[in-house]
Amino acid sequence: MTYLTILSALTLGFAVGANATAQDTVRLVFQPASVQMQAEGLSGNTITSGCVRAPAADAQWCVDLSDVAAARAASFTGNHTATNAPSFQVQVLPAQGYQAEAIASLFNQDGRFGLVEVDEQTSVAPVEPPMVISDETDDNTEDSTDEDSTDNSTDVNDPNYTRYQKWYYFADHKTSASGADISGLWALIGLDKIKTQSAPLDVLVLDSEFETNTDVTYYDGRSFSTTALLTGGPFQRPNDDYSVRPEVDEVCDSHGLQVASVIGGTIDNNYGQAGVTNNVRLHALRVMTCGVGFMSDTANALRWLVGKPFTDSNLVTPYSGKPGIINMSLSAGYNECPNFMQDAINDVLAAGYTVVVAAGNQSSDSQLRTPGNCDGVITVGAIDRSGYLPPFTNRGANVDVMAQGVYMPVPTEDSHSTALASGTSFASPLVAGILAAVKRDTGADDDVLKLAVRITANPTQDPQCDAADVCGAGMVDAKNIQQFATDAVSGRLHTIEHALGNKTPCEQVWLLDYFGDKARLCSLYNVVFMRGYIEEGTTYQLVSIPMGANWQDVTPTVEGQFTQAEVKLSSLTPDTRQYGVQLCEAGVCGDVQLINAEQATEANRPAVCE
């Protein structure tokens, strides 16, 4: 009898020394304050080494900031290559009975040490106790279906595909309450292209233990974790070895492996389960040990991707891949995204990466967890197989989209068993895998991918999600993200065509005979904004300029503003004017996006209108 181990997602496998911040020490991040921060009254005019005292004079803390001071000096001269010094520096200080926040505040109030922030502990928070069920019965799993037990046909031959994937998150949302329509994505791209590596996209998985398993192949990796391996022991240092450390191998779970498998587990190998796509290179970036790390370690991994120095960066071989998708199934408690982490995220976004992160498993407001509360990331919450919010998932105004995160089949270190994992840790890589497949096939950039995720999402079953600022746009839809991105990249996101243009000649004649005179119908144009999608509170403003004019040099004429994503208009002249659309929200309209009007010209006028 084979057994399936149901593991809680983000389960902490604590090693002897995994409590890396000894309670008598704190970790602080020192960095120069930006001009904006200085304008807001934050320190940063100088970066110097020195000491501060507690108001009661019962404690003193001293720091050596020579590294970050060198970086600041280089920034003033404009010679950013003059030093390999990091832009921030971590200092481990004795607590002396004080909280880290209080000590950071003292340094900030002093004014000589730049901006000082707490280096909070990152973790993969536990969801539920592990439990074991037989592979031959599924009595303890939820939402078992007739198809699950009677339909043995599969698109691929991975044993767990039919039982745990095909009828759930791989299905479309009309078939499954948690359906992300990955099967539809496969059909659009072509399963052979999904399974075969051809100029694969780089996917960077920032996580904990990357165990080995037959189902997952890591292309490359690095270690950035500084977590101490033993209580009272030294902090680790970054290096090129991302493998599981022997000191913790027996007590840690396989979180990094499992997260990576959701994205790129080998498809159609008659083993385990199927990932979303295999046309990727999985980079294992270890930023935690035994599910515990520091936010500065994660920031350093991001900085490494764009070639920026950090403490001990000389110990790590530079990244040689290309910008792709980053997944971070981890979080730390911050009321707002710390500056050093936001800077690192800004760097990778500017370089062309897309960043997907887990909302967290604290059953609370996701805006209190980093990196989910950082700007520019795609924050993913979890739904169960019935489309409802599981108790553990965070939710809030910063959540962008939801995906199944309950009973996700993933591999374990033991190649003869499978885990059913639950948590936002597994909802996040599901979205990351979808975006990796779409980006590889279409070349869509981060802006297009974010818009596609948001605007194509489907409603969830849970009425809690009907309220604003709970579940983001709704449930992710892989197939429609692919279609949306394809049209966006090809310039067909917005279109104008003759109203009769998409009809057959017979249909055109019939419409003219039964629904109006020739002049009226032949002068109508069908205008479609955003592939027919519309968001609540968004309007579309149609604008135009003369043919041959430059949009930057001419003030556009407003042709109308619409709450519908598809309208019919008769006052357009596509042969003499260029058309564009602005998305408007709360009275503010964005940049002009061009409308493809090739099918609306006289040359493409329906024959029945001649």
Side-chain angles (χ1 to χ4, degrees):
M1 181 179 292
T2 305
Y3 287 92
L4 289 168
T5 304
I6 298 185
L7 298 179
S8 58
L10 312 175
T11 298
L12 290 178
F14 279 101
V16 174
N19 185 14
T21 37
Q23 294 188 4
D24 59 350
T25 63
V26 299
R27 283 176 54 125
L28 302 180
V29 177
F30 291 78
Q31 62 198 303
S34 67
V35 174
Q36 178 181 353
M37 291 174 182
Q38 293 177 35
E40 293 173 353
L42 296 175
S43 63
N45 294 325
T46 60
I47 293 290
T48 185
S49 301
C51 303
V52 296
R53 288 181 177 274
D58 57 348
Q60 176 176 274
W61 299 273
C62 299
V63 294
D64 178 2
L65 301 179
S66 53
D67 285 350
V68 72
R72 177 175 170 80
S75 69
F76 276 123
T77 64
N79 185 11
H80 297 284
T81 61
T83 176
N84 288 323
S87 64
F88 67 77
Q89 191 170 335
V90 175
Q91 293 278 313
V92 182
L93 302 173
Q96 302 183 72
Y98 285 79
Q99 296 294 320
E101 292 80 2
I103 301 172
S105 179
L106 290 173
F107 278 105
N108 282 320
Q109 292 172 21
D110 184 279
R112 295 176 296 146
F113 301 96
L115 176 65
V116 186
E117 297 174 305
V118 177
D119 192 10
E120 293 285 4
Q121 191 176 84
T122 57
S123 69
V124 287
V127 172
E128 59 187 11
M131 59 189 213
V132 177
I133 62 169
S134 168
D135 193 17
E136 297 175 3
T137 62
D138 202 18
D139 295 338
N140 289 323
T141 60
E142 60 181 43
D143 302 326
S144 126
T145 65
D146 289 337
E147 297 97 326
D148 200 22
S149 59
T150 62
D151 190 331
N152 294 318
S153 66
T154 61
D155 301 320
V156 296
N157 61 20
D158 305 287
N160 290 315
Y161 170 74
T162 299
R163 190 173 188 193
Y164 297 110
Q165 297 180 295
K166 180 178 180 180
W167 303 111
Y168 298 106
Y169 56 97
F170 269 67
D172 64 51
H173 76 283
K174 295 179 181 178
T175 303
S176 166
S178 64
D181 205 1
I182 295 168
S183 295
L185 173 69
W186 284 3
L188 282 179
I189 295 176
L191 187 54
D192 285 343
K193 291 174 68 176
I194 287 286
K195 295 193 300 182
T196 305
Q197 289 211 345
S198 175
L201 186 80
D202 289 295
V203 175
L204 303 307
V205 183
L206 280 63
D207 217 284
S208 193
E209 273 56 48
F210 292 96
E211 297 278 7
T212 58
N213 183 280
T214 304
D215 220 29
V216 176
T217 299
Y218 308 117
Y219 175 77
D220 198 0
R222 303 288 188 274
S223 176
F224 300 90
S225 175
T226 60
T227 305
L229 293 171
L230 298 172
T231 301
F235 290 107
Q236 297 177 71
R237 299 177 72 185
N239 58 80
D240 287 349
D241 182 7
Y242 64 88
S243 65
V244 180
R245 295 299 182 258
E247 294 92 333
V248 299
D249 193 21
E250 296 301 318
V251 293
C252 293
D253 67 9
S254 309
H255 195 263
L257 162 69
Q258 295 165 354
V259 168
S261 76
V262 176
I263 299 169
T266 306
I267 302 167
D268 211 23
N269 64 340
N270 200 28
Y271 175 87
Q273 55 284 317
V276 177
T277 176
N278 291 160
N279 200 4
V280 292
R281 290 173 172 171
L282 293 173
H283 295 258
L285 306 187
R286 191 167 66 86
V287 296
M288 295 175 289
T289 299
C290 260
V292 176
F294 296 99
M295 188 52 68
S296 63
D297 297 342
T298 299
N300 284 339
L302 297 178
R303 294 180 63 78
W304 171 76
L305 287 171
V306 295
K308 290 198 172 182
F310 55 91
T311 301
D312 288 332
S313 58
N314 60 301
L315 303 178
V316 185
T317 301
Y319 177 61
S320 58
K322 296 180 179 179
I325 306 296
I326 296 170
N327 184 83
M328 292 188 281
S329 292
L330 52 87
S331 69
Y334 286 94
N335 290 337
E336 58 184 25
C337 183
N339 183 72
F340 70 87
M341 188 62 184
Q342 187 64 65
D343 281 351
I345 288 173
N346 291 345
D347 286 340
V348 294
L349 292 175
Y353 292 88
T354 291
V355 183
V356 185
V357 304
N361 300 337
Q362 288 72 34
S363 307
S364 64
D365 188 349
S366 57
Q367 294 187 94
L368 303 179
R369 305 298 296 183
T370 298
N373 59 4
C374 297
D375 293 337
V377 304
I378 297 172
T379 302
V380 185
I383 56 174
D384 64 22
R385 298 196 305 191
S386 297
Y388 285 80
L389 298 182
F392 60 79
T393 187
N394 289 346
R395 68 291 305 265
N398 64 305
V399 171
D400 294 290
V401 72
M402 309 297 287
Q404 183 175 320
V406 174
Y407 288 158
M408 306 286 284
V410 294
T412 68
E413 183 181 4
D414 177 4
S415 294
H416 299 289
S417 64
T418 295
L420 292 178
S422 299
T424 59
S425 266
F426 303 101
S428 177
L430 183 58
V431 173
I434 290 168
L435 297 185
V438 172
K439 184 177 179 67
R440 167 62 190 82
D441 189 65
T442 66
D445 63 17
D446 182 58
D447 287 340
V448 169
L449 293 177
K450 284 174 179 168
L451 181 60
V453 166
R454 187 177 79 240
I455 210 162
T456 64
N458 297 307
T460 66
Q461 294 292 319
D462 198 322
Q464 295 179 76
C465 294
D466 294 340
D469 298 336
V470 176
C471 299
M475 189 167 60
V476 68
D477 188 323
K479 178 181 177 181
N480 277 321
I481 289 174
Q482 168 72 11
Q483 291 177 322
F484 188 97
T486 298
D487 285 346
V489 171
S490 64
R492 295 195 58 81
L493 194 59
H494 317 285
T495 59
I496 299 176
E497 62 181 2
H498 293 283
L500 297 176
N502 62 351
K503 308 297 181 183
T504 67
C506 288
E507 289 173 330
Q508 292 174 3
V509 171
W510 186 83
L511 286 168
L512 288 180
D513 287 344
Y514 289 96
F515 288 96
D517 61 81
K518 178 177 178 179
R520 185 175 68 84
L521 283 179
C522 287
S523 65
L524 280 178
Y525 296 91
N526 195 48
V527 184
V528 178
F529 306 114
M530 207 67 73
R531 287 195 76 247
Y533 291 99
I534 191 161
E535 294 181 285
E536 185 177 351
T538 299
T539 59
Y540 297 117
Q541 182 163 279
L542 180 65
V543 295
S544 69
I545 61 174
M547 191 66 69
N550 191 309
W551 286 93
Q552 285 73 36
D553 300 332
V554 178
T555 300
T557 299
V558 177
E559 303 284 352
Q561 196 167 67
F562 309 94
T563 58
Q564 299 84 23
E566 185 171 353
V567 295
K568 285 182 170 55
L569 302 174
S570 60
S571 58
L572 307 183
T573 56
D575 282 283
T576 60
R577 298 190 71 80
Q578 306 173 64
Y579 290 90
V581 60
Q582 293 173 287
L583 274 66
C584 305
E585 191 172 6
V588 178
C589 296
D591 295 335
V592 174
Q593 301 179 33
L594 300 184
I595 297 179
N596 187 314
E598 293 177 1
Q599 298 303 312
T601 61
E602 282 297 312
N604 289 303
R605 187 178 178 85
V608 72
C609 294
E610 297 297 335

